Amino acid sequence: MAQWGMMNQSSEDASVSRGRNARGLPDTLKWAGGRDGCLRLVDQTLLPGRVEIRSCTTVEEVWEAIRGLRVRGAPAIGVAASYGLCLGTRGTRHEATEVFRQKLRAVGEYLCAARPTAVNLGWAIARVTRVAEAAGDISAERIWDGLLAEADAIAREDADTCRRIGEVGAILVPDGGGVLTHCNAGALATVAYGTALSVLYAAHEQGRRFRVFADETRPLLQGARLTAFELDAAGIDVTVICDSAAASLMASGQVQLVVVGADRIAANGDTANKIGTYSVAVAARQHEIPFYVAAPRSTFDLSLADGTGIPIEQRPEEEVRGGFGLDVVPPGVRCYNPAFDVTPSALITGIITEAGLISPVSTERIARLVNDAG
Amino acid sequence: MAQWGMMNQSSEDASVSRGRNARGLPDTLKWAGGRDGCLRLVDQTLLPGRVEIRSCTTVEEVWEAIRGLRVRGAPAIGVAASYGLCLGTRGTRHEATEVFRQKLRAVGEYLCAARPTAVNLGWAIARVTRVAEAAGDISAERIWDGLLAEADAIAREDADTCRRIGEVGAILVPDGGGVLTHCNAGALATVAYGTALSVLYAAHEQGRRFRVFADETRPLLQGARLTAFELDAAGIDVTVICDSAAASLMASGQVQLVVVGADRIAANGDTANKIGTYSVAVAARQHEIPFYVAAPRSTFDLSLADGTGIPIEQRPEEEVRGGFGLDVVPPGVRCYNPAFDVTPSALITGIITEAGLISPVSTERIARLVNDAG
């Protein structure tokens, strides 16, 4: 039973800077303690009932946190993996440089396998690994320091990127209107601000008045638990609905904008995001409601021509069968539990990135914008 | 916590005839004990964890069972209300005829208010009440006997009607294909067989092989709990999915037919059914998958030209907030919980009734078929 009386954070958390994450929440994830430090992250499986900070001191703990959705959201797991590389290679930093580089590659492969769909995971690992590869013939210890600096840079840039996404997208939020979002693409899915929710935070700061409908987002209820929590903490009017109510809500005229995040965007704009996003996109098209994706450029995977190549993570049936500590599906009956679906670009009005809005969505526009110097 | 070890029925249940409901389940609801008897029904809020029979001896208990979804499904609540009228007037059957008739009307109004959307509730109450109104100047006691006989007739006809719906619709089930259904329109929603699921039972009996995907149907999980339970007990291959996964399942080519029940169908074919049905219909149209509604003629409300006049029941927010014994939505955040939505007839390939298939759907065809002598 969620304990509403226990919203106080763990005592450890007193030292957590609220810094850029000024939404009344602790930082989603943050490296603490310098070279011998650890990755501290909010355990999102316990939200909103309990705000608990978890300290990861080994790469295995980071892997488990990613796999177990303690940290989730494409940008956040990219940052977590960057620090995971630091933790996984820290014990090797006094070895020979080549031994260190081999270890780094092995740790990278290990982390990359934690979850298959979000491309930011592989993107961040590749970026940190490049630092080591390019460092030349210096000591492992100095390379390691470079890794930590690069992970810090990724984290810093993520917050800046997200803030910029909000600035780019805010104008799309209809004053006096209703906005529907699915899953959580907020501060809890990134270092700060979020992607889809950054758009709403920015619009709110600009004084626009709007009402948000958050799909609860079965099976793990990131909408009910996380999006509602974040938006409410920020003073934004939010109402939770069952995922299945989104289409009829649109039919009732209460939704003027849909904005969601993304886990991977193919070269043509086809977008993998939390299961149910496609259903929302189909309904939005039926009602001629603009449907926007908000994502940093690191979420694009230009190696895939379209969405058919995006690997879709299958999660355990138990998340559907008994995700609430109850078994509701009769034993012997199977459950099908894909974590993501792919929304074809034809249903996407535009993609909001830190470098500008891509609308209409086309392979050419995407290539131009993503390849632009960041 | 659902107790899978406790599938044994209550001791009372030994006497429950499995009769027409030959699916390994007790009768959904049944009058037992003659003139001084009671209405016995499976408490569906406890399924599939526990199969428990509830005996209603007062109209208040029937009202509570309907309101509290212990008995649900449009045809089943019509039958329950018929017997509720008998229970609510039993104490008045030694009074003057006019006093009895006044009581009957008051009890009818009371029962009718238990749930607003399913028209079968009002339909059954009106039908039983007509028997009393037409009885002329006979004793209240004899009128009451007529009410009980009429309630029995409604129950009997419901089973026959449902079996016939299955016979009419079975041919639509694609051999070797996949069928998606939403909520529970099965034996548990009727006296026996069901509506949408009767189509599947009949196809199964004819030897067609197919796979069923059951939307779990948030917030109360009638699909996960009831449809999966029924179909599995009947030996039909069933897989539970989150409601939000239906559209991407269609995109993957695994669904060749959608069949659902109905709570009220307007004169033009617009259909109110469990929240989420409209979302499924929109997705089915996007993928050019036939979308059928299965319902008895008692579900049509020809007094409403179209679906805009159908009253949509709003259910308590707690069903969304904490339907699993957990509070997942932060306190202070609202939930919006309409129990039904309306699917416009333009999205409905056909309506399967006991008197034949209406396809394409039009006001004229509906009027002709519904007004035909039953």
Side-chain angles (χ1 to χ4, degrees), chain B residues 85 101 104-105 108 124-134 147:
Chain B
L85 283 175
R101 286 199 173 106
L104 177 64
R105 284 187 286 269
I125 290 167
R127 179 169 155 179
V128 174
T129 304
R130 267 199 307 276
V131 169
E133 304 292 359
L147 301 191

Side-chain angles (χ1 to χ4, degrees), chain B residues 20-23 25 28-29 44 72-76 120 155 157-169 181 183-202 205 227 230-231 259-262 293-296 299 352-354:
Chain B
R20 285 182 305 243
N21 192 337
R23 307 279 167 212
L25 301 175
T28 303
L29 73 175
Q44 300 192 32
R72 26 67 53 201
N120 309 60
E157 288 169 25
D158 185 54
D160 293 343
T161 294
C162 286
R163 186 207 293 265
R164 181 76 193 123
I165 287 171
E167 290 166 357
V168 168
T181 189
C183 196
N184 174 266
L188 289 163
T190 59
V191 170
Y193 307 110
T195 54
L197 297 197
S198 182
V199 170
L200 304 186
Y201 290 134
E205 279 163 20
T227 295
E230 271 197 54
L231 293 177
V259 60
V260 298
V293 170
T299 301
I352 307 163
T353 79
E354 71 277 26

Side-chain angles (χ1 to χ4, degrees), chain A residues 178-181 211-215 237-239 241 249 254-255, chain B residues 336:
Chain A
V179 181
L180 180 82
T181 189
R211 178 179 186 186
V212 180
F213 295 96
D215 277 355
D237 181 352
V238 56
T239 300
I241 62 170
L249 191 72
Q254 295 181 77
V255 179
Chain B
Y336 172 62

Side-chain angles (χ1 to χ4, degrees), chain A residues 3 10 29 37 49 82 117 128 149 164 182 207 217-218 298 309 315 327 353:
Chain A
Q3 298 295 315
S10 70
L29 74 174
S82 308
T117 301
V128 173
R164 182 75 193 123
H182 188 76
T217 317
R218 280 281 288 152
S298 55
R315 304 267 319 163
D327 272 353
T353 80

Side-chain angles (χ1 to χ4, degrees), chain B residues 280-333:
Chain B
V280 171
V282 169
R285 174 56 51 97
Q286 171 82 3
H287 298 95
E288 299 178 3
I289 296 168
F291 178 95
Y292 285 94
V293 170
R297 287 180 294 177
S298 55
T299 301
F300 288 82
D301 180 355
L302 301 190
S303 76
L304 299 177
D306 59 42
T308 56
I310 301 177
I312 299 296
E313 178 182 5
Q314 298 292 327
R315 304 267 317 163
E317 322 192 47
E318 283 61 38
E319 291 180 352
V320 176
R321 179 184 300 286
F324 302 86
L326 289 165
D327 272 352
V328 290
V329 176
V333 173

Side-chain angles (χ1 to χ4, degrees), chain A residues 64-128:
Chain A
E64 192 278 336
I66 294 172
R67 175 77 135 212
L69 277 55
R70 300 184 196 285
V71 59
R72 27 66 52 202
I77 66 179
V79 174
S82 308
Y83 288 118
L85 283 176
C86 300
L87 290 170
T89 55
R90 185 159 58 185
T92 320
R93 62 184 160 172
H94 301 297
E95 306 278 347
T97 301
E98 204 36 55
V99 172
F100 179 84
R101 285 197 173 109
Q102 273 175 15
K103 178 70 178 176
L104 177 65
R105 285 188 285 268
V107 172
E109 279 175 31
Y110 167 70
L111 279 167
C112 215
R115 294 192 72 195
T117 301
V119 75
N120 309 59
L121 184 59
W123 169 86
I125 290 167
R127 180 169 155 178
V128 173

